Amino acid sequence: MWTAILRRLVLAVMTVVAGGLISAMLVRYAPGFGTDERQLDARLSSDSIQAIRNSNAEERNVAGYFAGRAYRLLHGDLGTSRSLNRPVRQLLTERVGVTCSLAGKGLVSAWIAAALLVFAAWIAPTPALRVFTGVCSGMLLCLPAGVLALLAIVVNGPAYVCIALIVFPKVHRYLGNLVAASSTMPHIITARAKGISAPRVFFWHVVPVIRREVLALAGVSTSLAIGAAIPVEALCGIPGVGQLAWQSALARDLPLLINVSMLVVAFVVLANSGADLLAGERSQPA
Amino acid sequence: MRRTIAVASLLVAAFLTSALCLDELTFYVRSEPKTFNPALVSDDASETVRYLTGGVLLRLNRGTQSLEPELATAWKVSPDGRTITFTLRKGVYFSDGTPFTALDVTYTMEQLMNPALHSPTGDAFRSGAGKVSTAVLAPDKVSITFPAPVAGLDKLFDQVAIVSSQSPKRELAVLGPYYMSDYKPGSYVYLQKNPYYWKHDAAGRQLPHIDALKLEIQANRDIELMKFTRNEIQLINTMDADNFDRLARSSPEKVRDVGPSLDSEQVWFNQTANAPIPAYKLEWFKSRNFRRAISSAINREDLCKVVYDGHAQPALGPVSPANRFWFNAHLKPLRLDQNAAVQLLQQDGFQLSGSKLRDRAGHLVEFSIVTNAGNRSRERMATMIQQDLRSIGITVNIVTLDFPSLIQRISETFNYESALLGFVNVELDPNEQMNVWLSSSDEHQWNPRQKTPGTEWEAEIDRLMRAQASAMDDPTRKRYFDRVQEIVADQLPFIYLVNKDALVGVSPLLEGVKPVVLRPQTYWNIERLSFAAERPGNAR
Amino acid sequence: MRGLRTTALTVAAVLLIASLAGSLFARFDYIRQDRQHVAAGPSAAHWLGTDDLGRDRLARLLHGTRVSLLLAPAAAALSMLLALVFGAAPGFCGRFPERAAKTAIDLFLSVPWLFLLLMVRAMLPLNTSPAASVTITFLVLGILGWAAPARILLARAQSLRQSDFILLARSTGISHRQLVCRHVIPNLRPVLVAQFWISVPVFVLAEANLSILGLGVAEPMPSLGSMLRELESVLSFRGDLCRFAALVMLIVIVSSLQIVADQPEVY
């Protein structure tokens, strides 16, 4: 068991590092890297503009830069954000709690709402309820995140509700289909025929069967929630990691982006690995 | 013992009550301030903090557009324009109690002019090679000497916030009406009134009147408008035309259209010799007739009406009519005339073939316009220009790019055909635009960094700009710069489109606000603003 | 339920045909700017009013629906195909392929692929037509959108791998191809269908959001996503309900097709 855990840990670390390297390469070779809007400031002399262009010379060799960064990371130095002129460590420390809270509450709310609706549809499988939930989730899928965020501000509602509304339709749709698919399994039909109550059938016979997919969906929905946090934080002015990610992407701030990407990778790996562990999974041959 | 407790309780209650009664003005800044070092300020948000906290020797009165004494009670520029001598105000202290002296001025200038700092404010002073020297002539007298004449030298000091040479707080010890007391990254900057601020009002009360300012960081203009209508913020320094009209319908007392701003929107064609665009297109763009034809075909009135809801006017040249002294009032607008546009093109061998225009070699006239994505006004203007030029057979493709990609194309790779952007003019003096007009400069957008001017008219502009920079009297400088404007209006390296109006929002709860076109439009006289006496929930 | 499905199918068909056929009528010119009637309400000339540049909103809606609902489902289908190959197949195989797939999925879910989209845009010629650039955008979205469904397909495939009926099927000596086609893919169908119908509006919105970075559809071509961006100034809609037309269209079509596609699952 400890070997398996250690192997997962090593794989997770390698995944995080790989994520950081891929992010670094994407940023480095994306158009606009190394530019600064100060280059359009007519007051600056040619020397100053050249100095601005040269200021990120170190970052142009992305492999070398990343290796140096990784080495410094081992000593706790996450570098300095070029766009915000502040240590990345400080920026992340200030903001990670905000995003975790926002995304966490949104995720939990979305799951509770989705699970309740799916359970309700199981208990009372009327076409009206099915159409109603289908239209609701369809409507929420079609609403831009920006509009949801603005509406939240208009009604002075909590921002995590936006994340819940973004994640909910996806979770609900999957869960609904998984539960519907399991309803025609022979052992479910047998259980019902034997007169076992609908809730009991749901919790004792349906949930264990779809447990693995539900846990996988939980892992995936974590990355959905983190992704949803970016537009919500940017629009609502919430000082979280999502807002930081957006600002750093617009500014091509390599030191900040590498660290934010690695943080996101770490969260996703953690969520998906956690889902796998809870599913009690071991890798077996086909 | 009981008496002590009672007195202590009263004191605590008084403190809390006074804290609750703090006058606090809140407004939004659109982005995170990049720096609090006044010498390195280049973005709007940082400039806002600098303006509100920095003490300057001379202040340009945004209302009258004239220079006034501030920390300096008098000043004199030498006839050769190289030296400026200040007589400093006595009895002034920084926000931490450190006295203000001539040494602080010399220290500030040394920092500013340090070439390694690459300060935009410092670069504005660089008129020639050589070191800037400072001299303390008396405890309240200091002179600064530049290696070459600097045109408009005194006005440049409006941007120089004096920092302390002695205070352990360095740039955070300030001489302005407010000092920064709190900063929550991504959220707000909190400024409190400087207890040592030297200004007093006519009644002898220390300024500023408002105790604190909260600059919240929020880029979304709809949210800004919503908070403003709810009185959660009291100022909007620049407003979109759409939001302006919406608010004007419901609360006309809250909005002001101050008239044309100093800013302009323009299109230019890439004339860079080694640009990676087809050679035949480069030939089009270099043709004066081609540029004038494009300009004639664009309906500027419609741009003003549709994009800005009438809160803009067609632009004539690089200077807005709001810049009363430097604007060349003799410039004639280029009228919308699509027939004249076609005739100009025919002079260069272009021919309409059906509904499509072709050049003399038979190439379809088609080019792209790049502009920054997310700027709805520019996207709409580009779409309208696309339709206008379609009427004369020209196909325009609109390419919206995020800002870093755009900067890379127009400043480094030159992989673009035409661009639609705007100039934000902070200063009145044309020297601010020196780097735009000099052909050797990086900012000479249509063909930067030329070793020698590529055309006669660019050589003439170079000569005129250098002449106005070394002339010391404003009428002479104006003559030179008027001629620059005439050449630009003729050759159209920039096809100027519109000058937007300065649109602001001011809460009726505030008194003393006099919106102007110069930045900062609404709080340029921040120390004299106050809340109305009858403001609910804040009786004193 | 059958009546509901028929109604939904009819509604979806009518809207899709209208969007395909709309441009056949001279009235429906989505480019023309009527600058005297900007942001106008519904009228005899403009049934859904005009947008901020005076263009007929109905014409733009029909054309935009065509653009989005041809390209978004194609992108979603491409994502599903990639999810099958990189999610379900390794999940069914187990061991190293499964571990590698999980790692790849985790990376794909978290790396900022936005920059890849920027790179793709930068490589396109400046005068790429709006149709070509939006097609390429959706193609790239489809290529990048496989990770989330792949994760769930992988979990589903793992369950199937360990299920009794698959074991029984194998023990009968069935070929691998028959096993996959007759037993595995039908059991993956619910997840595929669910993800497909989630992906369609997600890709439509993604294209709209990408326009903030210049990666969406270029003017003057409309798309449902670009029309949905009008809602971002929802606080200033001045009671002009026609601005919601694109949202209503997308909701009605997606919901209708979801109802049509939903059916009892078979093994």
Side-chain angles (χ1 to χ4, degrees), chain A residues 18-64:
Chain A
L21 182 59
I22 294 171
S23 302
M25 292 182 66
L26 284 172
V27 174
R28 167 62 185 90
Y29 294 108
F33 177 77
T35 61
D36 188 312
E37 55 186 51
R38 288 179 296 165
Q39 287 173 243
L40 299 183
D41 189 338
R43 295 172 298 171
L44 287 170
S45 64
S46 297
D47 287 342
S48 296
I49 291 178
Q50 196 52 45
I52 289 168
R53 285 200 185 110
N54 294 340
S55 62
N56 64 347
E58 182 199 17
E59 295 166 15
R60 287 186 187 266
N61 174 6
V62 67

XYZ file of all heavy atoms in Angstrom, chain A residues 18-64:
348
model
N 5.707 18.699 -14.984
C 5.439 18.688 -16.428
C 4.439 19.776 -16.794
O 4.585 20.448 -17.827
C 4.909 17.323 -16.862
N 3.427 19.941 -15.949
C 2.436 20.992 -16.196
C 3.080 22.362 -16.213
O 2.791 23.202 -17.070
N 4.005 22.582 -15.268
C 4.701 23.864 -15.238
C 5.538 24.093 -16.480
O 5.542 25.184 -17.061
N 6.218 23.040 -16.920
C 7.072 23.166 -18.097
C 6.247 23.418 -19.356
O 6.578 24.269 -20.184
C 7.930 21.911 -18.264
C 8.916 21.915 -19.433
C 9.896 23.068 -19.310
C 9.671 20.589 -19.501
N 5.153 22.674 -19.504
C 4.292 22.877 -20.678
C 3.728 24.291 -20.669
O 3.704 24.976 -21.701
C 3.148 21.849 -20.715
C 3.702 20.446 -20.934
C 2.154 22.186 -21.817
C 2.672 19.348 -20.781
N 3.286 24.746 -19.508
C 2.751 26.114 -19.408
C 3.815 27.126 -19.791
O 3.546 28.079 -20.524
C 2.277 26.411 -17.986
O 1.299 25.498 -17.596
N 5.038 26.900 -19.290
C 6.125 27.835 -19.608
C 6.361 27.888 -21.110
O 6.541 28.967 -21.685
C 7.398 27.419 -18.883
N 6.342 26.740 -21.746
C 6.599 26.727 -23.184
C 5.463 27.386 -23.955
O 5.691 28.111 -24.926
C 6.816 25.291 -23.657
C 8.111 24.731 -23.111
S 8.478 23.089 -23.657
C 8.736 23.333 -25.378
N 4.240 27.137 -23.511
C 3.100 27.761 -24.192
C 3.178 29.283 -24.083
O 2.945 29.999 -25.065
C 1.784 27.269 -23.593
C 1.345 25.866 -23.990
C 0.145 25.440 -23.168
C 1.019 25.796 -25.469
N 3.497 29.769 -22.904
C 3.567 31.219 -22.722
C 4.732 31.796 -23.514
O 4.616 32.835 -24.178
C 3.729 31.570 -21.221
C 3.943 33.070 -21.031
C 2.524 31.113 -20.440
N 5.852 31.085 -23.453
C 7.049 31.611 -24.112
C 6.838 31.758 -25.618
O 7.274 32.755 -26.228
C 8.234 30.688 -23.810
C 9.477 30.903 -24.664
C 10.076 32.288 -24.481
N 11.188 32.517 -25.385
C 11.096 33.040 -26.603
N 9.906 33.403 -27.071
N 12.166 33.210 -27.342
N 6.201 30.798 -26.227
C 6.071 30.828 -27.679
C 4.750 31.419 -28.163
O 4.499 31.499 -29.359
C 6.295 29.428 -28.260
C 7.714 28.971 -28.046
C 8.023 27.983 -27.119
C 8.757 29.594 -28.712
C 9.338 27.609 -26.886
C 10.075 29.228 -28.486
C 10.357 28.235 -27.571
O 11.656 27.885 -27.330
N 3.919 31.855 -27.220
C 2.685 32.538 -27.620
C 3.025 33.933 -28.116
O 4.000 34.540 -27.663
C 1.731 32.630 -26.434
N 2.243 34.473 -29.037
C 2.513 35.830 -29.506
C 2.358 36.822 -28.363
O 1.516 36.650 -27.482
C 1.436 36.065 -30.571
C 0.390 35.067 -30.291
C 1.060 33.888 -29.673
N 3.173 37.823 -28.378
C 3.091 38.867 -27.357
C 4.007 38.640 -26.180
O 4.101 39.502 -25.303
N 4.706 37.505 -26.153
C 5.617 37.290 -25.045
C 6.752 38.309 -25.095
O 7.304 38.580 -26.145
C 6.197 35.870 -25.102
C 7.210 35.616 -24.019
C 6.792 35.382 -22.718
C 8.565 35.655 -24.287
C 7.711 35.178 -21.711
C 9.496 35.451 -23.282
C 9.071 35.212 -21.997
N 7.097 38.829 -23.947
C 8.207 39.786 -23.886
C 7.809 41.210 -24.195
O 8.640 42.102 -24.154
N 6.546 41.434 -24.529
C 6.123 42.814 -24.794
C 5.592 43.427 -23.512
O 5.257 42.734 -22.552
C 5.030 42.871 -25.869
O 3.885 42.145 -25.405
C 5.507 42.271 -27.172
N 5.523 44.719 -23.551
C 5.061 45.457 -22.377
C 4.321 46.675 -22.911
O 4.803 47.327 -23.848
C 6.270 45.879 -21.542
C 5.885 46.477 -20.196
O 4.992 47.359 -20.165
O 6.471 46.066 -19.186
N 3.186 46.986 -22.335
C 2.416 48.107 -22.888
C 3.165 49.434 -22.709
O 2.829 50.410 -23.377
C 1.022 48.185 -22.277
C 0.959 48.262 -20.786
C -0.487 48.194 -20.290
O -1.226 47.278 -20.688
O -0.850 49.066 -19.509
N 4.182 49.447 -21.876
C 4.983 50.676 -21.762
C 5.725 50.976 -23.066
O 6.161 52.104 -23.290
C 6.000 50.533 -20.625
C 5.369 50.576 -19.233
C 6.405 50.401 -18.157
N 7.029 49.093 -18.212
C 8.146 48.761 -17.589
N 8.794 49.658 -16.864
N 8.646 47.537 -17.685
N 5.859 49.965 -23.931
C 6.522 50.209 -25.223
C 5.755 51.225 -26.058
O 6.305 51.796 -26.995
C 6.658 48.899 -26.010
C 7.701 47.959 -25.459
C 7.686 46.614 -26.152
O 7.421 45.589 -25.529
N 7.950 46.600 -27.419
N 4.459 51.396 -25.768
C 3.667 52.376 -26.520
C 3.641 53.744 -25.830
O 2.954 54.645 -26.290
C 2.230 51.868 -26.696
C 2.071 50.560 -27.477
C 0.596 50.226 -27.644
C 2.731 50.669 -28.844
N 4.378 53.891 -24.732
C 4.414 55.175 -24.023
C 5.348 56.120 -24.769
O 6.569 55.913 -24.797
C 4.896 54.943 -22.590
C 4.750 56.179 -21.718
O 4.675 57.301 -22.267
O 4.715 56.032 -20.490
N 4.764 57.160 -25.363
C 5.550 58.065 -26.210
C 6.581 58.862 -25.417
O 7.474 59.472 -25.999
C 4.615 59.011 -26.957
N 6.478 58.862 -24.080
C 7.439 59.645 -23.289
C 8.780 58.931 -23.163
O 9.801 59.552 -22.899
C 6.875 59.905 -21.889
C 5.637 60.780 -21.873
C 5.026 60.821 -20.499
N 4.591 59.496 -20.063
C 4.173 59.218 -18.840
N 4.134 60.151 -17.915
N 3.777 58.001 -18.512
N 8.753 57.611 -23.322
C 9.968 56.848 -23.079
C 10.965 57.017 -24.202
O 10.601 57.045 -25.379
C 9.630 55.361 -22.908
C 8.953 54.983 -21.586
C 8.456 53.556 -21.629
C 9.929 55.159 -20.421
N 12.248 57.078 -23.827
C 13.316 57.193 -24.825
C 13.579 55.817 -25.440
O 13.108 54.790 -24.934
C 14.583 57.706 -24.150
O 15.030 56.764 -23.201
N 14.357 55.812 -26.508
C 14.691 54.541 -27.163
C 15.439 53.618 -26.216
O 15.223 52.403 -26.211
C 15.571 54.803 -28.385
O 14.862 55.551 -29.318
N 16.309 54.215 -25.412
C 17.082 53.394 -24.461
C 16.153 52.710 -23.467
O 16.321 51.534 -23.133
C 18.080 54.268 -23.689
C 19.235 54.685 -24.576
O 19.438 54.030 -25.630
O 19.932 55.656 -24.223
N 15.190 53.451 -22.987
C 14.254 52.885 -22.002
C 13.435 51.765 -22.632
O 13.211 50.726 -22.016
C 13.322 53.966 -21.465
O 14.042 54.946 -20.763
N 12.990 51.993 -23.858
C 12.188 50.959 -24.525
C 13.034 49.720 -24.759
O 12.580 48.581 -24.574
C 11.594 51.503 -25.832
C 10.526 52.544 -25.494
C 11.003 50.388 -26.677
C 9.874 53.202 -26.674
N 14.279 49.921 -25.130
C 15.162 48.767 -25.319
C 15.395 48.043 -24.006
O 15.425 46.808 -23.963
C 16.499 49.244 -25.914
C 17.355 48.133 -26.514
C 16.606 47.282 -27.513
O 15.886 47.791 -28.380
N 16.738 45.979 -27.412
N 15.510 48.804 -22.927
C 15.698 48.191 -21.614
C 14.473 47.355 -21.231
O 14.595 46.269 -20.665
C 15.949 49.265 -20.556
N 13.294 47.870 -21.574
C 12.064 47.115 -21.290
C 12.074 45.817 -22.095
O 11.743 44.744 -21.585
C 10.829 47.963 -21.639
C 10.682 49.102 -20.629
C 9.561 47.116 -21.644
C 9.676 50.164 -21.035
N 12.481 45.909 -23.341
C 12.507 44.692 -24.190
C 13.485 43.674 -23.639
O 13.264 42.476 -23.718
C 12.920 45.058 -25.615
C 11.866 45.742 -26.405
C 12.110 45.647 -27.902
N 11.096 46.444 -28.581
C 11.338 47.585 -29.211
N 12.545 48.064 -29.306
N 10.349 48.257 -29.768
N 14.605 44.188 -23.100
C 15.641 43.265 -22.606
C 15.363 42.731 -21.208
O 16.072 41.856 -20.730
C 17.005 43.981 -22.581
C 17.473 44.329 -23.976
O 17.015 43.748 -24.961
N 18.376 45.296 -24.069
N 14.347 43.278 -20.555
C 14.162 42.963 -19.134
C 13.806 41.498 -18.900
O 13.976 40.979 -17.804
C 13.075 43.855 -18.527
O 11.834 43.621 -19.173
N 13.289 40.842 -19.922
C 12.957 39.435 -19.706
C 13.817 38.524 -20.558
O 13.396 37.445 -20.988
C 11.474 39.191 -19.993
C 11.140 39.452 -21.445
O 11.924 40.033 -22.185
N 9.976 39.003 -21.859
N 15.063 38.948 -20.778
C 15.982 38.148 -21.595
C 16.180 36.760 -20.985
O 16.278 35.757 -21.692
C 17.318 38.877 -21.723
N 16.203 36.740 -19.647
C 16.423 35.471 -18.957
C 15.324 34.461 -19.302
O 15.549 33.247 -19.345
C 16.432 35.755 -17.443
C 16.703 34.564 -16.581
C 16.250 34.760 -15.127
O 15.455 35.683 -14.863
O 16.686 33.975 -14.286
N 14.105 34.983 -19.536
C 12.971 34.078 -19.733
C 12.898 33.526 -21.147
O 12.114 32.620 -21.415
C 11.670 34.824 -19.394
C 11.552 35.232 -17.935
C 10.446 36.252 -17.718
O 9.607 36.429 -18.607
O 10.437 36.894 -16.646
N 13.673 34.105 -22.058
C 13.545 33.678 -23.458
C 14.057 32.264 -23.677
O 13.561 31.549 -24.537
C 14.259 34.669 -24.371
C 13.463 35.958 -24.462
C 13.995 36.962 -25.435
N 13.238 38.193 -25.290
C 12.175 38.534 -26.005
N 11.760 37.738 -26.964
N 11.528 39.655 -25.786
N 15.058 31.855 -22.890
C 15.497 30.460 -22.945
C 14.642 29.703 -21.934
O 14.964 29.606 -20.748
C 16.986 30.373 -22.583
C 17.435 28.929 -22.477
O 16.687 27.998 -22.782
N 18.671 28.737 -22.026
N 13.514 29.178 -22.433
C 12.503 28.701 -21.490
C 12.975 27.484 -20.700
O 12.684 27.354 -19.502
C 11.163 28.430 -22.219
C 11.274 27.271 -23.180
C 10.048 28.176 -21.250
N 13.735 26.597 -21.365
C 14.167 25.387 -20.651
C 15.132 25.764 -19.523
O 14.996 25.304 -18.386
C 14.834 24.421 -21.629
N 16.097 26.625 -19.869
C 17.061 27.064 -18.855
C 16.377 27.826 -17.737
O 16.657 27.623 -16.552
